[in-house]
Amino acid sequence: MMQSGIPLCNTCGEQVGLDANGEVFVACHECNFPVCKTCFDLDIKEGRKACLRCGTPYYDENSLADDETKVSGTRSTMAAHLDNSQEIGIHARHVSNVSAVDSELNDEYGNPIWKNRVESWKDKKDKKSKKKKGAPKEEKVAQIPPEQQMTENHSPDAAEPLSTIIPLPPNKITPYRVVIIMRLIILALFFHYRVTNPVDSAYGLWLTSIICEIWFAFSWVLDQFPKWYPVNRTTFTDRLSARYEREGEPSELAAVDFFVSTVDPLKEPPLITANTVLSILAVDYPVDKVSCYVSDDGAAMLTFESLAETSEFARKWVPFCKNFSIEPRAPEFYFSQKIDYLKDKVQPSFVKERRAMKRDYEEFKVRMNALVAKAQKTPEDGWTMQDGTAWPGNNSRDHPGMIQVFLGHSGAYDIEGNELPRLVYVSREKRPGYPHHKKAGAENALVRVSAVLTNAPYILNLDCDHYVNNSQAIREAMCFLMDPQVGREVCFVQFPQRFDGIDRSDRYANRNTVFFDVNMKGLDGIQGPVYVGTGCCFNRQALYGYGPPSMPSLPKASSSSCSWCGCCSCCCPSKKPSKDLSEAYRDTKREELDAAIFNLREIDNYDEYERSMLISQTSFEKTFGLSTVFIESTLMENGGVAESSNPSTLIKEAIHVISCGYEEKTAWGKEIGWIYGSITEDILTGFKMHCRGWRSIYCMPLRPAFKGSAPINLSDRLHQVLRWALGSVEIFLSRHCPLWYGFAGGRLKWLQRLAYINTIVYPFTSLPLVAYCTIPAICLLTGKFIIPTLSNLASALFLGLFMSIIVTSVLELRWSGVSIEDIWRNEQFWVIGGVSAHLFAVFQGFLKMLAGIDTNFTVTSKQAEDSDFGELYMIKWTTLLIPPTTLLIVNMVGIVAGFSDALNKGYEAWGPLFGKVFFAFWVILHLYPFLKGLMGRQNRTPTIVVLWSVLLASVFSLVWVKINPFVSKVDSSALAQSCISIDC
């Protein structure tokens, strides 16, 4: 936040102040990291002479001279050790509130000191060597981190950012914000009118509608305000190459570990998984920086054999893609493109090579289909491998851990003799009685395996049906993660999900265009988009539970918290912190910088003071598990396998870290890695990172980075939405509910918290939505209405409300670029999903979390038609189809009853009928895609669905006529007396 144009110090929170020339004080002229003069002098005094963000040494001759005179060679503090070492370019690290069981050393707030890391363990040797007198001056230069050396050698390029933010033009975003404020005012006036004008003849009906409308308004606020600061971003991959890929020198780009997860090869076809793997192996990135890990959580021999075939085909496919710049680099989708494949191709040999490659791919498909056909029937004695031994995973619920390196750095070459990326098959151990946590547990196993074998600093996870559509996607992510000014605060870069095989009209809003092109852009302007489960590139350190480097640890109870939202000044501007709070910030920062962690194997070589300041291996093991190799890998910020590790034992260690008991009594799934406790582990994992103070980035390259497949028929789509909604309900009922979790640290911005609250409460909208969709039918059957006779003021309010809704949508279309058809489809499926999947998710979630009853709504498929989008018309029986079908029938019956009643009553009844029929048609119009999908191509609706729905609608109509609960009762004796008086 800025006050009077002067930035706030990142250490103490006060203004950085002015220098002697009256200009804003700047400590680091390389990255302009905001540090005030007082904190800067303290850093120099205690021997820290490099910028905490970029590692560039401070150049202040006076401070350096003062520091040299004040430093005493007899000091026994850790500050003295750091001062004597004169380690230029130290990158301070610390971690956020990660709970460690039985930590040996805690600070005054109860936070374990082991989390406060200054430097990696391998810096110890440099530190010890520089203690000797007369150390050569060249050794100091050798200590400078590689990224700092690059910056000094190429300062002109280093000054250029690798990405830039493009704010929306004021003429687009300002009217949008104004209309939102106006809509809030109109809503306030509208509810004032609705509450002060009850309908006495149908009081219960009126009260129900008021409650529903208030919830809808609350839901709209939760959805709208996180869109307050939408931004676009542009990357400069050419600058990335110029900075990290200099000609004649090894590439300095960071390594990336790809994670691909699969479970059942009969439901997730191996050919689709193979295409995903091939697109990864052929990505436009240095081959020695790419490793692909495939998690087979079903321990299927079919997956293992299909990967063996894929690795062989990759020797031909990868050089073909790179020689001719093929896009996309998944063969199935490349050869199925209905475009001119000769466009922009100039090599005469391309046509011949393409035909040969297509023939090879067809043969590859035949081999894969043969494997699938063989796997349809499991032998009685189980599967047997080629060497005659039994397949270890014959029992998918009880088998040992399995790792196979198909492509590695020894002998993994393509047909042209070029090196190929690493490809590793992983199936974690499964034993009865152990919790395995489904996908989240499999991802955490991959984190540990990759840390032992390759330990890339960044991780990109993909579902098995999401292939790399843009070979430059990794470079796009690195433009954020490797940018010295941006990357140190970024926990992950999320790409939008794009899909193949969806019909042009997108009947069931499978593309989720509104979410990915509107909501996520809005979140990117606050603290970053949410993690959506796939197509996301992580900072490995963030997965380990560390906080961002420049974020100081805050007291649990901070006096600077907002009184109404619980967030600190990082959420919104606040008053200048008091002097006591500033001192607390500085003390906390000094304590973090004084704590260091070195090589655990050489801990006995330290003196008593150093040993008292270091963490014992036991504390690490209680957090990360019993693996010294893995623990050492967590201390290497820039990745890479430790030099002290023995290559011959790495596979054995990798098998150890995927054992089913490895996570017992550790922080895995609680504070580090993918978080357990919900089937939507993606939302929970991203939420924890944002609560630690990290921010995320939304990257939307012109060519979609990744593409996948989505269920396009009605039943599968509803089942998918049910799973998402159930995960949200689970989070709502857990300790990680955004309504109360993470307030103590104050690192989650309040608009970001609103967004996370929206992701967990939206299923509860189903309850008022079902009631509101039933009200029109009730009004038509009873002849009553929820709105009294309208006055001129009321008519103006209703007209203003409808106009504000329309204008908001139009302006949202204008700044987001989303089509009106996409917004309308999203609106329709909001109703369809709300009255079906979301409703079932709420009841299932409460039964599961409160009563321990796990209710499954199974889906049974029928045969699909062999034509384009044949699956679109495939109907599967599921309980989810009953509520929306019932609402359709009830409203249709209500319309017929309403018109019949108007015909009997005469001309004066047609006016009130219009409003009732309008709302009934509103319901039917929103449910029309459901009705169309239910009827199918030839009215192939499951009979059981029709029977149940007609039965429920009939019972509802008959009971309603008999009971009529929402209409006020009239005294029959008074009515008789009135009739007598009239007759008289």
Side-chain angles (χ1 to χ4, degrees):
M1 296 295 108
M2 306 287 283
Q3 295 182 1
S4 304
I6 301 178
L8 299 181
C9 175
N10 195 74
T11 302
C12 66
E14 297 190 12
Q15 293 185 1
V16 297
L18 305 177
D19 58 16
N21 299 326
E23 300 178 353
V24 177
F25 177 76
V26 178
C28 177
H29 295 276
E30 185 66 32
C31 66
N32 294 328
F33 187 57
V35 178
C36 69
K37 187 67 167 63
T38 304
C39 294
F40 175 76
D41 291 340
L42 286 173
D43 286 345
I44 296 297
K45 178 181 178 181
E46 297 189 2
R48 295 182 289 274
K49 302 177 182 178
C51 176
L52 294 177
R53 170 178 287 178
C54 67
T56 304
Y58 294 138
Y59 294 101
D60 190 323
E61 297 179 357
N62 295 330
S63 298
L64 290 175
D66 294 340
D67 180 62
E68 291 176 358
T69 59
K70 293 179 181 179
V71 173
S72 173
T74 60
R75 288 189 301 175
S76 60
T77 61
M78 179 59 70
H81 287 297
L82 292 176
D83 186 57
N84 291 336
S85 63
Q86 294 290 309
E87 296 184 83
I88 303 175
I90 290 177
H91 287 257
R93 298 286 298 178
H94 66 90
V95 286
S96 58
N97 302 330
V98 182
S99 59
V101 184
D102 298 331
S103 291
E104 295 185 356
L105 298 175
N106 293 331
D107 61 17
E108 58 180 322
Y109 304 112
N111 296 326
I113 298 178
W114 72 267
K115 300 178 296 184
N116 302 323
R117 185 173 64 168
V118 178
E119 54 185 331
S120 66
W121 61 270
K122 59 184 180 181
D123 286 336
K124 176 181 178 288
K125 293 181 180 179
D126 295 333
K127 173 179 177 289
K128 293 178 68 178
S129 63
K130 287 182 294 179
K131 286 184 177 180
K132 300 177 182 179
K133 287 187 177 182
K137 199 169 185 178
E138 289 75 15
E139 291 185 7
K140 297 182 179 180
V141 179
Q143 302 169 57
I144 300 177
E147 60 270 23
Q148 184 178 328
Q149 296 178 12
M150 178 280 304
T151 304
E152 293 178 352
N153 294 335
H154 299 269
S155 55
D157 293 337
E160 294 182 333
L162 300 179
S163 64
T164 184
I165 296 177
I166 305 178
L168 295 182
N171 62 345
K172 289 185 178 181
I173 192 61
T174 302
Y176 179 69
R177 294 171 178 169
V178 170
V179 170
I180 290 177
I181 300 300
M182 291 179 60
R183 185 170 171 180
L184 283 174
I185 297 173
I186 294 174
L187 275 174
L189 297 175
F190 170 79
F191 282 119
H192 178 267
Y193 167 78
R194 293 282 282 130
V195 171
T196 55
N197 290 271
V199 181
D200 296 329
S201 60
Y203 188 82
L205 201 64
W206 167 82
L207 182 61
T208 302
S209 66
I210 287 293
I211 295 173
C212 294
E213 289 163 3
I214 291 175
W215 179 264
F216 294 151
F218 171 72
S219 179
W220 172 80
V221 169
L222 287 181
D223 184 64
Q224 207 69 33
F225 272 90
K227 305 174 186 176
W228 196 256
Y229 299 104
V231 297
N232 295 310
R233 295 181 184 269
T234 299
T235 57
F236 306 104
T237 55
D238 53 340
R239 296 180 185 176
L240 180 77
S241 297
R243 184 177 298 185
Y244 295 105
E245 293 183 298
R246 297 185 293 275
E247 187 176 355
E249 299 180 14
S251 173
E252 295 180 1
L253 289 174
V256 180
D257 287 338
F258 284 81
F259 292 175
V260 178
S261 56
T262 181
V263 180
D264 187 352
L266 297 180
K267 294 182 179 179
E268 301 164 336
L271 185 62
I272 300 300
T273 304
N275 273 269
T276 299
V277 171
L278 288 169
S279 67
I280 293 173
L281 298 178
V283 73
D284 183 11
Y285 208 70
V287 293
D288 59 323
K289 307 288 187 178
V290 176
S291 299
C292 178
Y293 293 83
V294 179
S295 171
D296 178 18
D297 221 30
M301 186 172 168
L302 174 57
T303 303
F304 181 86
E305 291 181 331
S306 65
L307 276 184
E309 289 286 350
T310 303
S311 63
E312 289 300 317
F313 181 71
R315 300 177 190 272
K316 300 177 182 179
W317 175 251
V318 172
F320 171 74
C321 292
K322 294 188 176 181
N323 290 340
F324 300 105
S325 301
I326 297 302
E327 294 287 359
R329 299 189 177 182
E332 180 69 24
F333 302 95
Y334 169 70
F335 288 121
S336 63
Q337 290 182 113
K338 297 180 180 179
I339 61 173
D340 181 12
Y341 63 84
L342 296 177
K343 185 179 180 181
D344 299 329
K345 296 294 184 291
V346 295
Q347 291 136 310
S349 62
F350 172 68
V351 175
K352 180 180 178 180
E353 293 287 343
R354 186 183 186 276
R355 289 174 181 172
M357 184 53 59
K358 188 173 183 180
R359 182 170 59 252
D360 290 338
Y361 179 64
E362 295 296 333
E363 295 174 356
F364 169 72
K365 289 175 65 176
V366 170
R367 294 193 297 272
M368 295 289 286
N369 292 334
L371 293 175
V372 174
K374 186 180 72 171
Q376 297 297 322
K377 186 177 181 181
T378 305
E380 294 181 0
D381 299 333
W383 297 106
T384 304
M385 294 187 290
Q386 293 182 356
D387 60 358
T389 59
W391 171 247
N394 277 323
N395 186 347
S396 61
R397 298 182 179 179
D398 187 1
H399 65 84
M402 296 179 284
I403 296 177
Q404 175 65 45
V405 180
F406 285 108
L407 297 175
H409 295 300
S410 58
Y413 297 98
D414 59 30
I415 58 175
E416 296 182 358
N418 300 316
E419 187 180 342
L420 287 172
R422 187 187 299 258
L423 174 61
V424 183
Y425 168 88
V426 179
S427 181
R428 58 182 172 142
E429 182 185 17
K430 293 282 187 71
R431 301 296 180 194
Y434 286 92
H436 298 109
H437 305 290
K438 298 182 180 179
K439 181 181 177 181
E443 295 286 351
N444 284 338
L446 288 182
V447 172
R448 297 191 293 271
V449 168
S450 62
V452 171
L453 298 181
T454 52
N455 196 31
Y458 301 108
I459 294 172
L460 196 151
N461 82 300
L462 291 173
D463 289 342
C464 63
D465 60 346
H466 277 69
Y467 63 92
V468 181
N469 183 65
N470 183 351
S471 62
Q472 296 273 329
I474 316 306
R475 297 178 181 272
E476 298 276 352
M478 291 302 114
C479 285
F480 301 106
L481 294 171
M482 296 188 70
D483 191 325
Q485 299 184 18
V486 178
R488 294 175 63 81
E489 310 297 323
V490 177
C491 56
F492 62 82
V493 175
Q494 177 67 62
F495 293 89
Q497 291 186 22
R498 305 301 188 199
F499 302 98
D500 289 315
I502 298 177
D503 62 306
R504 182 175 300 178
S505 63
D506 193 14
R507 183 184 299 175
Y508 307 122
N510 284 279
R511 293 190 178 94
N512 285 326
T513 307
V514 173
F515 174 75
F516 286 114
D517 290 10
V518 180
N519 297 60
M520 296 286 267
K521 280 186 179 179
L523 292 177
D524 197 17
I526 309 172
Q527 198 173 344
V530 298
Y531 168 43
V532 295
T534 185
C536 185
C537 192
F538 287 96
N539 182 336
R540 188 183 285 267
Q541 296 294 316
L543 282 173
Y544 289 156
Y546 295 113
S550 60
M551 178 70 70
S553 296
L554 297 179
K556 290 186 177 180
S558 175
S559 60
S560 63
S561 298
C562 301
S563 59
W564 65 277
C565 73
C567 297
C568 71
S569 58
C570 65
C571 304
C572 52
S574 60
K575 295 182 179 180
K576 185 176 179 179
S578 63
K579 182 177 180 181
D580 294 338
L581 182 59
S582 301
E583 293 178 354
Y585 272 102
R586 290 174 184 148
D587 293 341
T588 303
K589 194 68 179 177
R590 282 197 295 268
E591 184 179 15
E592 292 172 351
L593 293 173
D594 288 344
I597 296 171
F598 300 106
N599 192 344
L600 299 174
R601 293 180 177 176
E602 300 181 10
I603 192 170
D604 294 334
N605 297 333
Y606 293 103
D607 56 34
E608 290 298 327
Y609 181 80
E610 284 179 315
R611 191 176 293 112
S612 67
M613 287 299 296
L614 298 178
I615 291 251
S616 70
Q617 185 168 339
T618 304
S619 297
F620 267 93
E621 289 173 348
K622 289 179 179 179
T623 302
F624 293 111
L626 299 173
S627 173
T628 304
V629 176
F630 175 74
I631 291 174
E632 287 183 355
S633 71
T634 66
L635 304 179
M636 304 177 67
E637 294 182 31
N638 298 321
V641 179
E643 295 179 0
S644 58
S645 61
N646 186 354
S648 62
T649 62
L650 287 183
I651 291 295
K652 181 179 179 180
E653 193 69 23
I655 291 290
H656 169 59
V657 299
I658 60 173
S659 60
C660 55
Y662 184 84
E663 295 183 354
E664 284 190 339
K665 298 181 180 180
T666 67
W668 285 103
K670 304 179 185 69
E671 299 294 340
I672 62 177
W674 271 257
I675 306 302
Y676 304 149
S678 171
I679 58 177
T680 53
E681 72 290 329
D682 46 3
I683 296 294
L684 205 52
T685 302
F687 174 62
K688 294 276 283 190
M689 291 182 182
H690 284 133
C691 285
R692 295 187 186 108
W694 292 96
R695 70 156 293 116
S696 55
I697 297 290
Y698 195 51
C699 182
M700 296 181 63
L702 294 178
R703 180 179 179 86
F706 309 99
K707 280 191 175 182
S709 57
I712 63 173
N713 69 69
L714 178 61
S715 307
D716 285 348
R717 174 68 167 141
L718 289 178
H719 197 67
Q720 180 190 56
V721 173
L722 169 65
R723 181 166 49 84
W724 293 342
L726 179 58
S728 296
V729 175
E730 289 174 347
I731 296 175
F732 177 80
L733 298 174
S734 72
R735 72 183 184 93
H736 291 119
C737 178
L739 289 173
W740 51 73
Y741 183 84
F743 273 106
R747 293 176 175 178
L748 193 67
K749 297 187 178 181
W750 69 273
L751 288 179
Q752 191 82 5
R753 187 176 294 277
L754 278 183
Y756 274 109
I757 291 174
N758 190 39
T759 62
I760 60 139
V761 302
Y762 76 89
F764 297 96
T765 305
S766 59
L767 300 175
L769 187 60
V770 169
Y772 211 72
C773 289
T774 310
I775 287 176
I778 297 175
C779 293
L780 289 167
L781 290 171
T782 60
K784 304 299 180 181
F785 201 36
I786 58 175
I787 301 174
T789 303
L790 294 179
S791 62
N792 292 335
L793 176 61
S795 300
L797 285 175
F798 275 93
L799 182 61
L801 181 61
F802 281 112
M803 289 299 298
S804 66
I805 294 173
I806 294 173
V807 173
T808 304
S809 300
V810 170
L811 293 176
E812 196 170 274
L813 292 173
R814 188 164 173 256
W815 67 255
S816 66
V818 176
S819 67
I820 190 172
E821 182 182 15
D822 289 327
I823 285 191
W824 173 237
R825 291 301 187 195
N826 183 77
E827 180 77 13
Q828 286 180 312
F829 199 79
W830 174 72
V831 176
I832 295 171
V835 300
S836 57
H838 297 171
L839 180 66
F840 278 74
V842 171
F843 287 107
Q844 184 178 356
F846 276 102
L847 286 174
K848 181 178 179 180
M849 302 300 293
L850 301 181
I853 302 174
D854 192 2
T855 306
N856 293 319
F857 304 101
T858 57
V859 178
T860 319
S861 61
K862 293 184 178 180
Q863 186 65 33
E865 300 180 22
D866 294 329
S867 62
D868 289 342
F869 307 113
E871 189 183 356
L872 180 65
Y873 303 98
M874 183 169 56
I875 295 296
K876 305 177 183 179
W877 160 243
T878 172
T879 324
L880 302 177
L881 300 177
I882 294 178
T885 307
T886 304
L887 286 175
L888 276 170
I889 295 177
V890 166
N891 278 278
M892 290 179 179
V893 170
I895 290 175
V896 174
F899 276 101
S900 300
D901 186 63
L903 288 172
N904 293 332
K905 290 185 177 180
Y907 176 78
E908 65 279 359
W910 288 94
L913 177 66
F914 174 77
K916 304 171 189 176
V917 171
F918 171 79
F919 283 107
F921 271 115
W922 180 89
V923 175
I924 295 173
L925 193 62
H926 279 75
L927 293 176
Y928 174 73
F930 173 85
L931 177 63
K932 191 174 181 179
L934 193 67
M935 301 306 293
R937 183 169 279 175
Q938 298 177 357
N939 297 336
R940 297 181 181 178
T941 307
T943 306
I944 187 67
V945 173
V946 177
L947 291 178
W948 269 104
S949 302
V950 171
L951 178 63
L952 288 176
S954 302
V955 170
F956 171 80
S957 302
L958 293 174
V959 172
W960 185 264
V961 172
K962 181 65 178 176
I963 299 177
N964 205 2
F966 287 111
V967 182
S968 60
K969 304 299 181 182
V970 181
D971 189 358
S972 58
S973 60
L975 182 62
Q977 183 67 32
S978 175
C979 293
I980 293 172
S981 62
I982 292 175
D983 291 337
C984 292

